[in-house]
Amino acid sequence: HLSIPSPAGCSSGRGARPRSWCGSGSFFGVPPDIFGVFPPFRYVLGHEAMKRMQTSNVLVSGLRGLGVEVAKNLVLGGVKSVTLHDPHPAAWADLASQFYLREEDVGRSRAEATLPRLAELNSYVAVSSTREPLSKELLGTFQVVVLTNSPLEEQLWVGDFCHDHGIKLVVADTRGLFGQLFCDFGDDMVVTDPNGEQPLSAMVSMVTKGCPGEVTCLDEARHGFETGDFVTFTEVEGMEELNRCGPVEIRPYTFSIGDTSGYGDYVRGGIVTQVKMPKHIHFKRLREALAEPEMMVTDFGKAERPSMLHWAWQGLHRFLRQHGRAPRPRHQGDAAEVVALTKEVAAGAELDEELVRELAFQATGDLAPVNAFIGGLAAQEVMKAVSGKFTPITQWLYFDALECLPEENRDTLLTEEQCRPRNSRYDGQIAVFGAELQAKLGAQKYFVVGAGAIGCELLKNFAMVGLGCGPEGSVTVTDMDTIEKSNLNRQFLFRPWDVTKLKSERAAAAAQEMNPALRVSSRTDRVGPDTERVYDDDFFEGLDGVANALDNVDARLYMDRRCVYYRKPLLESGTLGTKGNVQVVIPFLSESYSSSQDPPEKAIPICTLKNFPNAIEHTLQWARDEFEGLFKQPAENPLEVLEAVQRSLVSDRPRAWPDCVAWACRHWHRQYSNNIRQLLHNFPPGQKTNSGTLFWSGPKRCPHPLVFDPDNPLHLDYVVAAANLFAQSYGIAGSRDRAAVAELLRHVRVPPFAPKAGVRIHVSDQELQSANAALGTACGAHMDPTWGFCGTFRLGFGAISQTLNPFFCVPQSKLIAGKIIPAIATTTAAVVGLACLELFKLVQGHRRLSSYKNAFLNLALPFYYEVEWTLWDRFEVQGLQPDGQEMTLRQFLAYFKKEHRLEITMLSQGVSMLYSFFMPAAKLRERHDQPMTEIVTRVSKKKLGRHVKALVFELCCNDDSDADIEVPYVRYTIR
């Protein structure tokens, strides 16, 4: 299992998604109505990308389980319009995964039956259906066309037309445990932001004059920039030419930026900031990409033989064209014919006949979890196509989950009789797993903890697969929260008329509408020690498993402990924007959620926070502390209590609304003018330290006091927010009348400032702690991570306080300030789809650890990684190359990048550090081309004995999304 980094490099609990929205009030003073139900996508995609999405018209053709999943995600995502196309009538088999079809819809047009339920999801998106057959005239009105469950002949002519007319095309299909995805976004697609991460920035400590000029950053840790990144400079003194340069390309580690020999001498300061440069991607049309799979296949980490699957799908399409139907479940003759047709298509390419046969066996399979996964990916690709945000799939993606099939006696358990259709809503699932597993699913008793975004998706999938739908089965869902308007954008079981109702009750009712056989009950009791009389021994002992859909780490850890105690399997999943992870906990087989812990969040030094902030995170935390100290957090010692009482009841006690305005105005002057003037009195701009260096250099950025102006909208906003919060504390009626507040401000008397002598300002935490120790007082900053931005004035005050901070005036960063981790429908669908595939294994009783898949994905890249490392795993690397030469360090690093998609950040052998990303440039250049054994000998100062056949290396690695991951050791064979 892998950790998911949260904004600003803070941990969020191994993919745990903290509370995304706090309260139903305004979001930093902006009413939710302005953004409709789009805010999470807006904060993941960005404003410009969201605007492009909101002008895009999308056609979704094919409304079986996969098509409705894509359409659902697009409607929630906020495109301009979604048109549904499917002339075929609904059949019983569609009910296996088409969650917007009901039994009474069988025989009706799929598109028309689905339309009203999809339209309810988002009133800002125009949803319509058409009965027209696909034609060039129809296709020409859309920016993106999505084909699902479409015959190959249709895909080819639609692909040609779309490519020739600049229309983006996504083709998606699923067959049982197999999935396929193809993208064609034209001859020249421009990607404006390949990964969606915040641009990196670092403070500069030195720039050399030369060719190339080399930049040194303040922090000794890696600056984070990579080869090929482009950066700009600001606030550089001396070498001011850098401030006027456009984006310049850098090199790694040495951070070379080109010729600076003609620039002025560097003096001090500067900030270097990453610039996202447009990336041009060429796509081939479908007809061409079909013939060249070796160039276009994307191995998404799941399918081991994507090229074989590429040919197998074409062989299957030939069978469909020749017979007008899919191969029958487990029919040996049909499967043999698909194998023969695949051999004709592959023209001598290597094939795994068992893999082809399995695709044929499952051709009529229709699994809700696979549709959820592929549908989430396909919808995200549509959004990439219209927004230019994130890296698209280029161009094929093949997926399989064959480890879900029985581990033993597969041919005995999965026979043609077991998998034949039964005119049941589960026929699509029975075709893959047989009728016996369907009965086992129906008898399961599961506990879903949480009914938010992940909880809604879990209940939908449970209803579709028939979990707890038998006479002995049940599903219990608990959530103590009520539905808020801001939930509607991602918690897709809820509708506007559900607002203020209990989540668990409405989610259970909505899931039961999808499958009336679902035996679901709802509760509103939180899970925790105080409810163990509710969720007691009888409750847990009667369960078959638990699925977490929680939004905080503490509750996850508690449920993990309960599952370990009662020896129950646990499905754990989390999302963070386009990132997501899945962990399955199996009693007596795997580690538990609590087995590993994230590192603690990096604390901001108190003196840095109070006096010398230099990064956006510092100003945001400073604003949070400002709010806490004024309006929420109690004093921490008796003296502070007495001082607070004196201020509250005597010196600062307001009598009327004008007093509140006057207090806010004087507080503004104290924070943004007087305190800064006092700081500059103690440390003037030109002051030097004992070593002769300027005091205001490096991470200490010289601030400037602000001058209050009632006509400045930002200054006025601060006073309005602060005055209203202050008035609320005393039960005084506030006012939103900005003109009236501005008039009151013109009559407020602010005492003139005079710097005080003898004021001690600590320049480091060590100095502060020493002073506190001498006084016998406690030292601590007000950093409550549970601060709730939940009201208009609280949000406004926090945002404006940060923006006014004279050290670092930057645009407000709402995501970081509110600890907001947006959940988006595409990632949630994909993650829960993967989690429910693990459910199939649990119900069957799989006992091989290798059958289970913990996973990490990032739809922005795209990136999917399975985590299967055990005590017995290791990387086997042959040091001697075929030419007899030993592998160099450069070759070793490249091997892991190519073969395992891992970037090695540190490499050690015993206690000897052989390589690290922060090594001096000269040392790196020296070692890059040395054989590995030579490096080991030089660093360890020990010769390798002739008895040594292999070396053991320890690795620290980053994956494709630059997240740290745990990997096994390396056995490096040298003889």
Side-chain angles (χ1 to χ4, degrees):
H1 128 151
L2 289 162
S3 299
I4 299 178
S6 61
C10 298
S11 169
S12 62
R14 297 196 298 279
R17 181 173 53 81
R19 185 168 54 250
S20 293
W21 298 76
C22 185
S24 57
S26 303
F27 186 66
F28 275 84
V30 182
D33 286 346
I34 293 178
F35 301 136
V37 293
F38 306 146
F41 278 99
R42 180 178 182 269
Y43 285 103
V44 172
L45 293 174
H47 183 64
E48 290 302 317
M50 196 68 217
K51 284 202 306 185
R52 288 192 288 271
M53 275 187 54
Q54 291 171 344
T55 60
S56 301
N57 303 301
V58 182
L59 174 69
V60 178
S61 179
L63 266 296
R64 299 190 68 200
L66 177 58
V68 74
E69 188 69 55
V70 175
K72 178 258 291 182
N73 293 328
L74 291 175
V75 173
L76 289 174
V79 296
K80 181 180 179 181
S81 73
V82 175
T83 300
L84 311 176
H85 171 266
D86 193 328
H88 302 291
W92 272 105
D94 296 332
L95 301 180
S97 65
Q98 222 286 23
F99 46 85
Y100 282 150
L101 289 179
R102 307 290 180 259
E103 293 182 4
E104 57 269 24
D105 294 325
V106 173
R108 293 182 59 200
S109 163
R110 288 185 193 134
E112 293 178 5
T114 303
L115 172 62
R117 297 176 182 114
L118 268 176
E120 291 173 355
L121 288 174
N122 191 343
S123 60
Y124 294 84
V125 176
V127 184
S128 61
S129 66
T130 178
R131 290 189 174 188
E132 290 184 51
L134 289 184
S135 64
K136 296 179 179 179
E137 292 73 18
L138 176 64
L139 298 177
T141 61
F142 298 98
Q143 282 74 52
V144 185
V145 172
V146 182
L147 300 180
T148 68
N149 307 111
S150 172
L152 182 59
E153 294 71 25
E154 183 177 77
Q155 295 175 22
L156 290 171
W157 79 257
V158 170
D160 288 340
F161 178 83
C162 289
H163 191 90
D164 292 338
H165 292 81
I167 300 170
K168 311 295 193 298
L169 174 68
V170 174
V171 179
D173 200 357
T174 61
R175 301 278 174 172
L177 292 167
F178 294 87
Q180 178 194 53
L181 190 60
F182 172 80
C183 300
D184 176 7
F185 298 158
D187 288 324
D188 186 24
M189 179 193 180
V190 179
V191 176
T192 57
D193 182 352
N195 59 19
E197 301 295 334
Q198 289 294 318
L200 301 171
S201 64
M203 301 193 73
V204 177
S205 63
M206 184 62 195
V207 184
T208 64
K209 288 183 69 172
C211 185
E214 293 190 357
V215 180
T216 304
C217 296
L218 277 173
D219 297 331
E220 292 184 0
R222 185 186 186 190
H223 48 65
F225 302 122
E226 296 181 354
T227 304
D229 280 353
F230 285 78
V231 296
T232 56
F233 291 83
T234 56
E235 302 182 30
V236 174
E237 295 184 32
M239 199 178 282
E240 280 88 358
E241 294 90 341
L242 284 177
N243 298 329
R244 298 188 291 272
C245 282
V248 294
E249 188 173 1
I250 67 171
R251 300 173 186 173
Y253 313 120
T254 58
F255 197 169
S256 301
I257 57 170
D259 189 355
T260 59
S261 57
Y263 293 176
D265 292 333
Y266 175 82
V267 176
R268 65 174 176 268
I271 297 174
V272 56
T273 304
Q274 182 184 29
V275 177
K276 301 290 184 75
M277 301 298 289
K279 180 180 179 182
H280 294 260
I281 301 177
H282 170 74
F283 287 82
K284 293 189 175 185
R285 66 181 68 228
L286 176 60
R287 193 179 301 275
E288 296 173 8
L290 274 174
E292 299 178 354
E294 69 279 2
M295 293 175 56
M296 314 305 292
V297 173
T298 296
D299 182 358
F300 207 50
K302 192 76 177 179
E304 298 176 354
R305 294 150 299 203
S307 59
M308 295 182 185
L309 284 172
H310 181 80
W311 300 122
W313 278 85
Q314 291 192 55
L316 176 61
H317 276 292
R318 286 199 175 187
F319 184 97
L320 293 169
R321 183 176 68 248
Q322 292 180 9
H323 294 273
R325 62 168 176 84
R328 288 162 287 188
R330 298 288 153 183
H331 191 280
Q332 299 296 333
D334 287 354
E337 188 172 346
V338 172
V339 171
L341 292 170
T342 302
K343 289 181 177 179
E344 292 179 11
V345 177
E350 181 183 355
L351 288 178
D352 182 339
E353 293 190 12
E354 282 304 311
L355 187 69
V356 180
R357 285 165 55 83
E358 198 59 55
L359 176 61
F361 286 155
Q362 300 186 29
T364 60
D366 189 14
L367 301 179
V370 177
N371 288 333
F373 177 69
I374 297 295
L377 269 59
Q380 191 68 59
E381 293 306 304
V382 172
M383 296 177 194
K384 295 175 187 178
V386 299
S387 68
K389 186 74 175 279
F390 307 142
T391 302
I393 293 171
T394 52
Q395 293 182 250
W396 290 103
L397 179 148
Y398 288 100
F399 171 88
D400 76 79
L402 297 182
E403 72 279 357
C404 293
L405 295 174
E407 291 180 322
E408 306 287 347
N409 305 317
R410 184 179 301 179
D411 293 337
T412 304
L413 295 172
L414 301 182
T415 63
E416 190 174 353
E417 171 60 26
Q418 266 289 318
C419 300
R420 66 174 175 81
R422 287 161 167 76
N423 289 326
S424 160
R425 67 177 299 132
Y426 307 117
D427 277 352
Q429 196 160 276
I430 291 172
V432 178
F433 294 112
E436 287 187 10
L437 177 60
Q438 196 59 51
K440 290 181 180 179
L441 285 165
Q444 293 288 298
K445 296 180 177 66
Y446 256 74
F447 184 29
V448 179
V449 189
I454 289 178
C456 287
E457 284 288 338
L458 282 169
L459 289 172
K460 177 255 287 183
N461 278 277
F462 286 0
M464 292 294 96
V465 304
L467 188 80
C469 292
E472 299 176 0
S474 67
V475 173
T476 302
V477 57
T478 187
D479 197 309
M480 62 179 294
D481 290 341
T482 56
I483 300 165
E484 300 170 358
K485 185 174 181 180
S486 59
N487 298 145
L488 304 180
N489 57 72
R490 60 201 182 278
Q491 299 173 17
F492 85 106
L493 294 184
F494 306 139
R495 299 293 178 269
W497 49 85
D498 292 327
V499 172
T500 73
K501 297 178 182 178
L502 289 166
K503 284 185 176 181
S504 58
E505 291 183 359
R506 294 310 307 147
Q512 199 166 44
E513 286 183 15
M514 294 177 174
N515 185 352
L518 179 66
R519 297 168 59 85
V520 60
S521 61
S522 61
R523 296 195 177 189
T524 58
D525 308 289
R526 74 163 74 238
V527 292
D530 55 333
T531 57
E532 289 181 1
R533 58 180 178 79
V534 178
Y535 305 115
D536 54 14
D537 290 347
D538 290 339
F539 177 81
F540 271 98
E541 287 170 358
L543 295 175
D544 292 296
V546 175
N548 273 352
L550 292 161
D551 61 0
N552 66 88
V553 176
D554 289 340
R556 283 176 155 95
L557 292 171
Y558 174 80
M559 285 306 302
D560 181 68
R561 291 194 297 270
R562 300 301 278 173
C563 289
V564 170
Y565 177 77
Y566 289 105
R567 297 175 173 177
K568 302 297 179 182
L570 171 66
L571 293 173
E572 173 61 63
S573 52
T575 67
L576 190 157
T578 59
K579 301 171 185 175
N581 75 328
V582 176
Q583 181 183 5
V584 57
V585 178
I586 312 105
F588 309 108
L589 193 62
S590 74
E591 69 171 13
S592 74
Y593 179 82
S594 307
S595 297
S596 58
Q597 296 182 0
D598 291 329
E601 293 191 6
K602 184 179 180 181
I604 303 172
I606 298 169
C607 287
T608 298
L609 192 67
K610 186 176 181 181
N611 299 320
F612 310 110
N614 58 67
I616 184 172
E617 291 80 13
H618 301 164
T619 61
L620 290 165
Q621 186 62 56
W622 181 87
R624 293 168 65 91
D625 292 351
E626 168 81 344
F627 176 88
E628 295 286 348
L630 287 172
F631 303 116
K632 180 182 177 184
Q633 201 166 60
E636 295 186 352
N637 60 50
L639 179 60
E640 289 181 353
V641 171
L642 292 175
E643 291 175 345
V645 170
Q646 195 273 339
R647 287 195 304 270
S648 300
L649 299 181
V650 183
S651 61
D652 288 349
R653 182 179 180 87
R655 305 297 175 186
W657 170 243
D659 296 336
C660 299
V661 174
W663 172 88
C665 179
R666 287 191 289 270
H667 188 76
W668 187 100
H669 281 81
R670 181 162 59 251
Q671 291 294 80
Y672 302 110
S673 180
N674 298 352
N675 287 352
I676 304 305
R677 293 181 183 183
Q678 181 69 51
L679 184 64
L680 293 176
H681 173 76
N682 284 41
F683 306 107
Q687 179 171 318
K688 293 186 177 182
T689 65
N690 293 335
S691 63
T693 61
L694 285 169
F695 178 84
W696 292 107
S697 62
K700 293 183 177 66
R701 306 180 64 189
C702 188
H704 60 278
L706 302 182
V707 178
F708 185 77
D709 180 2
D711 295 324
N712 185 315
L714 192 62
H715 298 185
L716 185 58
D717 285 343
Y718 180 95
V719 171
V720 170
N724 274 279
L725 286 167
F726 195 62
Q728 289 174 12
S729 301
Y730 290 91
I732 296 173
S735 172
R736 296 172 181 258
D737 188 337
R738 294 165 57 85
V741 172
E743 184 60 31
L744 287 173
L745 285 171
R746 302 185 196 283
H747 302 285
V748 174
R749 180 182 173 276
V750 179
F753 171 76
K756 299 176 182 178
V759 174
R760 179 76 182 273
I761 297 177
H762 302 291
V763 298
S764 70
D765 274 15
Q766 291 81 1
E767 186 178 308
L768 175 62
Q769 289 167 359
S770 299
N772 283 332
L775 293 171
T777 59
C779 169
H782 299 315
M783 296 186 188
D784 179 5
T786 61
W787 183 37
F789 278 122
C790 50
T792 302
F793 297 121
R794 296 183 187 185
L795 294 168
F797 181 85
I800 300 161
S801 297
Q802 174 261 325
T803 308
L804 283 170
N805 190 302
F807 292 92
F808 203 67
C809 287
V810 296
Q812 57 195 28
S813 180
K814 303 168 187 175
L815 292 179
I816 303 174
K819 296 292 181 77
I820 294 167
I821 310 296
I824 59 175
T826 49
T827 311
T828 304
V831 162
V832 174
L834 292 176
C836 289
L837 287 174
E838 301 307 303
L839 175 70
F840 289 135
K841 306 168 191 176
L842 291 171
V843 175
Q844 292 176 84
H846 283 17
R847 297 310 302 164
R848 296 176 189 164
L849 184 61
S850 59
S851 296
Y852 292 95
K853 307 294 181 184
N854 292 345
F856 173 90
L857 60 82
N858 186 349
L859 301 189
L861 292 179
F863 173 74
Y864 177 92
Y865 197 86
E866 293 173 352
V867 189
E868 304 175 53
W869 310 124
T870 70
L871 172 68
W872 308 101
D873 288 318
R874 65 189 181 198
F875 291 114
E876 293 280 358
V877 179
Q878 292 295 326
L880 289 179
Q881 303 299 291
D883 60 2
Q885 299 296 313
E886 189 193 345
M887 186 179 285
T888 64
L889 174 61
R890 187 189 304 276
Q891 291 170 329
F892 186 88
L893 299 176
Y895 169 83
F896 274 86
K897 190 71 174 176
K898 179 182 178 182
E899 297 297 327
H900 301 289
R901 295 160 63 184
L902 296 173
E903 179 187 2
I904 297 176
T905 55
M906 285 190 286
L907 171 65
S908 62
Q909 195 261 337
V911 297
S912 301
M913 179 66 69
L914 308 181
Y915 163 82
S916 68
F917 58 78
F918 48 80
M919 275 183 170
K923 186 177 291 187
L924 283 171
R925 285 195 292 268
E926 176 187 349
R927 291 189 182 177
H928 262 152
D929 295 317
Q930 291 178 350
M932 296 296 292
T933 53
E934 182 178 335
I935 298 174
V936 170
T937 302
R938 288 191 177 188
V939 175
S940 67
K941 296 181 173 58
K942 296 179 182 178
K943 291 185 177 181
L944 297 177
R946 296 200 54 82
H947 66 284
V948 177
K949 295 183 179 180
L951 300 175
V952 173
F953 295 147
E954 300 287 344
L955 305 177
C956 290
C957 294
N958 288 348
D959 57 32
D960 283 358
S961 64
D962 208 30
D964 293 335
I965 65 169
E966 295 180 9
V967 295
Y969 67 89
V970 177
R971 185 175 187 269
Y972 180 80
T973 304
I974 58 177
R975 292 188 176 91

